[in-house]
Amino acid sequence: MSKLNPQPRYFNILLILVLTCLAPLALAVNDDVSNYRVDKGDKFDVYVLNEEDLSVTVEVNDEGTIFFPLLGEVRVHGMTPNQIEKEITRKLKGPYLVKPVVSVTMNSYREFFIGVQSRSLAGTNINPA
């Protein structure tokens, strides 16, 4: 009679415990990204449901604005992606669309410099996610 190896059962239990502990961390990271405030150099995708011509990738310029089809310049400096969604929805609703559904997703983050004592200065992209 052969004995069954109990290790796979313990491994499965350990895996479930680890994943259960890590789930809140994943939610916290998503929450941090949703609180991210855009500034010049950030790029994000704006998607308007069923409106291909209005679904674009935009970059925040030095004045803190983006150029959006139909609307022209839209000030987004210091806004979260969720706030940008609401602002574009508000501006499109009525004069252009009856019930726009807008989604904003970060595409790339601006470069910023970290001061260090060095012979050269270099920037790097840092993804907060």
Side-chain angles (χ1 to χ4, degrees):
M1 185 188 269
S2 67
K3 293 184 179 180
L4 292 175
N5 188 352
Q7 287 178 338
R9 189 177 94 197
Y10 293 125
F11 177 76
N12 290 341
I13 292 171
L14 180 61
L15 181 63
I16 290 170
L17 287 173
V18 168
L19 292 175
T20 303
C21 293
L22 292 178
L25 292 175
L27 293 174
V29 167
N30 286 337
D31 187 44
D32 289 343
V33 173
S34 67
N35 290 327
Y36 180 79
R37 301 215 176 250
V38 301
D39 202 351
K40 66 180 179 177
D42 285 328
K43 290 182 184 176
F44 53 90
D45 300 319
V46 180
Y47 174 76
V48 182
L49 184 65
N50 297 324
E51 299 293 334
E52 285 185 31
D53 294 342
L54 298 179
S55 298
V56 295
T57 299
V58 294
E59 182 173 354
V60 182
N61 65 22
D62 290 342
E63 288 78 36
T65 63
I66 59 168
F67 182 82
F68 192 79
L70 294 179
L71 302 179
E73 280 196 327
V74 178
R75 181 152 182 78
V76 296
H77 170 75
M79 297 172 79
T80 66
N82 191 16
Q83 291 170 328
I84 296 168
E85 286 175 6
K86 289 177 182 175
E87 180 68 5
I88 292 174
T89 300
R90 183 184 68 76
K91 289 184 175 209
L92 287 174
K93 190 175 183 177
Y96 302 107
L97 300 173
V98 176
K99 194 172 183 181
V101 177
V102 178
S103 160
V104 171
T105 306
M106 292 305 297
N107 184 310
S108 65
Y109 298 89
R110 64 188 173 268
E111 282 190 353
F112 65 93
F113 294 89
I114 299 174
V116 294
Q117 197 167 13
S118 174
R119 292 185 186 262
S120 64
L121 184 64
T124 185
N125 284 323
I126 296 183
N127 187 344

